[in-house]
Amino acid sequence: MSAALVTGGAGFLGSHLCDRLLGRGDSVLCVDNFFTGSQRNIEHLEQHPRFDLLRHDVTLPLHIETERIFNLACPASPVHYQRDPVQTTRTCVLGAINMLDLALQQGARILQASTSEVYGDPDVHPQPESYWGRVNPIGIRSCYDEGKRCAETLFFDYHRQHRLEIKVMRIFNTYGPRMQPDDGRVVSNFIVQALRGEPISIYGDGQQTRSFCYVDDLVEGMLRLMDAEAGIIGPVNVGNPAEFSMLELAEKVLRLTGSRSTLDFKPLPGDDPKQRQPDISLAGSALDWAPRVSLEDGLVETIGYFRRLLAT
Ligand SMILES: NC(=O)c1ccc[n+]([C@@H]2O[C@H](COP(=O)([O-])OP(=O)(O)OC[C@H]3O[C@@H](n4cnc5c(N)ncnc54)[C@H](O)[C@@H]3O)[C@@H](O)[C@H]2O)c1
């Protein structure tokens, strides 16, 4: 049994990670300031004998005992991280420093939930980990993109300077139950609009593509990276390379929900990448990981979740 700290544990990915860690016998301390996280995501865990919750902001130092730190705290969707961009950069950078200091003090291993956004609007496709990215440093997404890039730098400097055991995971678009209905992310947006019978918002001409990873696959990749031998530090891309255009996604959601919603074409927001697809060969060779859940199966689960949520 291992004592894990999950920052951002009341969020979408963090709450699924807490479930998996508890399920395999670990004890979990979930640290969250509930900026985008929700009590609903973790209420089923509150009575669990190996689960604890600490309401805390990672921009402030933390002193607790732990063996493994999963650093997920950070709003992930543009509507949330652009609401207070200075706080977003603070969370990325100060949050990383505080968690790295804690890891150092505790002799703990630490994993950073980084993002495909470090590649910006890529001119290499699909993106391997060796690609340095094409990021606008002063745009409306920069608080997140550059914050996450700086966090990666900090992880590697703590590793080089202090020999800290680090793991850096670059997460590509992930979806599943417990996403928020109003977070503006494409999968939740389409599903909620379809279930409500509202027009589906397509930005641009809908030909831009994305790849979507189901949350169970993502969490499996995260655990494999954390548990991998110390020499495997990353960065490692984890995502599903199957690529779909926004129009294809909308068509699938309409079919699986049985909705008659129409399509509503809107202008593209600033710095929206046209294409994003992970090269996951490193995750395959280093972690023996590959996604297993098809978009169709994952959408069925996610639609079921939103149906129940909207009915309450
Ligand atoms: N979901 C994705 O597709 C995706 C893709 C790439 C990277 N990621 C990364 O994975 C992590 C989790 O993403 P998510 O989709 O679960 O997002 P989320 O918004 O659902 O979860 C983030 C959690 O962090 C908490 N948080 C935010 N700022 C905090 C702070 N200063 N102190 C303490 N807690 C704080 C929030 O309350 C929330 O519970 C993030 O770091 C995100 O950047 C997610």
Side-chain angles (χ1 to χ4, degrees), residues 112-129:
Q112 167 69 354
S114 190
T115 169
S116 57
E117 301 292 335
V118 300
Y119 299 123
D121 190 0
D123 44 18
V124 169
H125 191 76
Q127 294 85 50
E129 291 84 353

Side-chain angles (χ1 to χ4, degrees), residues 7-14 31-38 41 56-59 71-77 80 87 91 113-116 144 148 171-175 178 180 185:
T7 76
F12 160 50
L13 296 182
V31 169
D32 206 295
N33 70 349
F34 290 91
F35 180 65
T36 51
S38 136
N41 290 343
H56 174 83
D57 191 312
V58 294
T59 61
N71 188 36
L72 276 67
C74 184
S77 85
H80 293 142
Q87 177 64 13
T91 295
S114 190
T115 169
S116 57
Y144 182 76
K148 288 285 188 177
I171 302 171
F172 283 67
N173 267 355
T174 301
Y175 71 100
R178 301 187 198 150
Q180 291 178 55
R185 289 195 248 187

Side-chain angles (χ1 to χ4, degrees), residues 62-64 66-67 69 96-110 154-155 157-166:
L62 181 63
H63 301 286
I64 49 121
T66 186
E67 293 161 42
I69 304 172
I97 290 176
N98 287 327
M99 292 309 115
L100 286 160
D101 281 342
L102 176 63
L104 205 53
Q105 191 192 87
Q106 290 291 310
R109 180 177 277 201
I110 180 166
L154 285 161
F155 268 67
D157 281 336
Y158 271 72
H159 175 68
R160 282 184 289 254
Q161 203 172 324
H162 301 295
R163 308 217 168 279
L164 188 68
E165 274 193 35
I166 60 156

